[in-house]
């Protein structure tokens, strides 16, 4: 029978599962990257460079915010937070930053791919990786094929909401 209690109530991870990857940060980071691209109307002399910097900086700022919030929450419940724990949480939350890498790379290489608008390519990459990370995470967590499909569809719909917002604001 699965243990549905929150991780803090479960105690130590079962043997062999301590290194299990949490894909939530990658899914969230991908959605964040798509949102940044959709909201940016970069009309500068170097729009691709501006978008790349915006993606990376936003990923880093949200990473710091998540690490801080996580550690502040631990302190509030009376846990002591040392530098070891700060580094550990930083590593756990790093997928937030990593999720900006592929969309930024798509913006960078878009001129050589012959795409007209690098932002649209980057949004497509961000949404695709969001769906990919969500389905991979569900699959690795032991979800059934139906549950994996639902994860994929839900994340695709969330990504398409971001695409619709980009279309609505005319970027």
């Amino acid at each position: 029978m699965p243990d549905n209690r929150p991780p803090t109530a479960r105690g130590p991870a079962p043997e062999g599962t301590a290194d299990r990857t949490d894909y939530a940060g990658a899914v969230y980071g991908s959605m964040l990257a798509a949102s940044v691209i959709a909201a940016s109307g970069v009309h500068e002399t170097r729009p691709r460079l501006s978008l790349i910097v915006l993606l990376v900086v936003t990923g880093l700022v949200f990473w710091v915010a998540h690490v801080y919030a996580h550690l502040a929450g631990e302190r509030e419940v009376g846990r002591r937070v040392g530098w070891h724990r700060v580094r550990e949480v930083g590593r756990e939350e790093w997928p937030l930053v990593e999720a900006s890498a592929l969309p930024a790379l798509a913006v960078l290489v878009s001129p050589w791919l012959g795409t007209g608008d690098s932002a649209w390519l980057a949004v497509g990459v961000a949404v695709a990786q969001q769906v990919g990370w969500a389905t991979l995470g569900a699959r690795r967590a032991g979800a059934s094929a139906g549950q994996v499909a639902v994860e994929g569809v839900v994340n695709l719909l969330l990504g398409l909401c971001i695409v619709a917002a980009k279309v609505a604001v005319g970027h």
Side-chain angles (χ1 to χ4, degrees):
M1 174 166 248
D3 188 351
N4 293 323
R5 294 176 294 160
T8 55
R10 291 185 197 152
E15 185 75 28
T17 62
D19 292 331
R20 180 174 278 173
T21 302
D22 179 4
Y23 293 92
V27 171
Y28 178 75
S30 299
M31 193 178 308
L32 174 64
S35 298
V36 165
I37 298 161
S40 71
V42 180
H43 302 290
E44 308 207 1
T45 56
R46 295 192 172 132
R48 281 192 304 280
L49 179 60
S50 296
L51 187 51
I52 291 168
V53 169
L54 186 60
L55 281 165
V56 172
V57 169
T58 302
L60 286 168
V61 167
F62 271 73
W63 171 69
V64 169
H66 274 247
V67 170
Y68 175 77
H70 191 110
L71 296 170
E74 287 187 14
R75 279 194 312 270
E76 284 183 16
V77 296
R79 292 192 188 122
R80 187 180 167 118
V81 177
W83 284 111
H84 174 73
R85 184 65 182 141
V86 171
R87 286 189 302 274
E88 187 176 54
V89 172
R91 278 190 305 275
E92 290 170 6
E93 297 292 341
W94 190 248
L96 267 167
V97 177
E98 291 176 325
S100 66
L102 278 179
L105 183 62
V107 172
L108 181 67
V109 302
S110 64
W112 297 289
L113 297 176
T115 59
D117 187 349
S118 58
W120 279 110
L121 176 63
V123 166
V125 167
V127 171
Q129 77 177 7
Q130 176 187 333
V131 172
W133 286 124
T135 55
L136 182 62
R139 193 150 165 76
R140 291 233 172 127
S144 69
Q147 291 168 323
V148 171
V150 167
E151 287 287 332
V153 168
V154 165
N155 277 278
L156 179 60
L157 290 173
L158 289 170
L160 291 175
C161 287
I162 295 167
V163 169
K166 181 168 175 48
V167 169
V169 297
H171 290 297

